[in-house]
Amino acid sequence: ISFSCSDYSIVPMDSVFDVEYDVTCSADKVNVEVIGSTDLYTELIPDDSSYLSGKIRITTGSDMGRQSKIVLLVSDGCNIAMKSLVFEGEMLKITDNAYRDVSAEGEDITIEFLSNMEYSVEVSANAASWITPVETRSVITSALTFNVAENKDKKRTGTITVTSKKSGTSLVYTIAQRGWVTVAIPENS
């Protein structure tokens, strides 16, 4: 039994996806059964009446356990084979404050979040000239550092958005930077 995905996959919650299967054996036809854990809905869709290949349509809910799995059972009438796939729900969660108040002098800030998936990061267009990434990241990094440049003008606000590349789930951090206050003192004071 082979599948079109690895034995362990991270998948978006509240989604529907297909996993292709192929059975290699000497029989012209097999019996196939798919069993899913209670947090997954599964549907077997064979390519033809031989059941030697096809797909398993999997529907995830809004909550998945740590070890959500499906088991594919295949019988050629004499032998039974079994193979399982384990799925984990995508996680993207802010672990600290999503709002940062930065001094007018500028400073490095770090945003922290939990993630078990690939993601992208975007600084809002209105803040791209004054919030810049300090370091590059790899898929497993969960803390990103940005430099907030000095602000010699009035208070300003921008956002940093972290988005799952699979599901589009996003985290939004708001960065508010204080500005310099100019005080005019009359000459006769």
Side-chain angles (χ1 to χ4, degrees):
I1 304 171
S2 62
F3 294 110
S4 61
C5 67
S6 66
D7 291 349
Y8 174 82
S9 299
I10 296 173
V11 297
M13 294 203 229
D14 287 321
S15 67
V16 178
F17 59 96
D18 294 334
V19 174
E20 296 176 7
Y21 74 90
D22 281 303
V23 177
T24 305
C25 69
S26 59
D28 294 336
K29 185 176 181 178
V30 293
N31 294 316
V32 177
E33 180 77 29
V34 64
I35 302 168
S37 56
T38 58
D39 52 355
L40 299 174
Y41 173 77
T42 59
E43 177 186 4
L44 185 68
I45 306 169
D47 287 342
D48 56 37
S49 62
S50 73
Y51 282 76
L52 290 169
S53 63
K55 61 186 170 186
I56 303 162
R57 177 150 299 143
I58 301 169
T59 304
T60 64
S62 59
D63 189 31
M64 293 178 63
R66 297 275 303 152
Q67 293 291 312
S68 300
K69 68 172 66 178
I70 65 162
V71 177
L72 191 69
L73 300 164
V74 178
S75 171
D76 64 2
C78 295
N79 300 303
I80 297 175
M82 173 182 83
K83 188 159 184 184
S84 63
L85 296 175
V86 176
F87 301 98
E88 183 176 345
E90 224 175 38
M91 178 188 282
L92 191 59
K93 181 179 179 183
I94 295 173
T95 59
D96 60 355
N97 194 344
Y99 181 86
R100 297 290 193 286
D101 191 22
V102 180
S103 70
E105 291 85 10
E107 60 189 87
D108 287 349
I109 60 164
T110 300
I111 59 173
E112 295 180 6
F113 51 94
L114 296 175
S115 173
N116 63 357
M117 66 188 153
E118 238 182 297
Y119 55 85
S120 63
V121 178
E122 175 187 342
V123 175
S124 59
N126 69 318
S129 65
W130 55 276
I131 300 176
T132 55
V134 170
E135 57 188 47
T136 59
R137 63 141 189 98
S138 65
V139 174
I140 61 170
T141 301
S142 295
L144 302 175
T145 302
F146 294 81
N147 175 266
V148 178
E150 182 178 13
N151 182 11
K152 295 183 179 183
D153 203 354
K154 62 184 178 181
K155 180 178 178 174
R156 58 189 178 184
T157 303
T159 60
I160 300 171
T161 304
V162 179
T163 306
S164 162
K165 289 187 175 181
K166 281 188 179 180
S167 69
T169 302
S170 295
L171 305 175
V172 178
Y173 291 84
T174 301
I175 313 304
Q177 185 179 28
R178 295 182 292 273
W180 290 102
V181 177
T182 305
V183 178
I185 301 175
E187 289 183 28
N188 297 337
S189 296

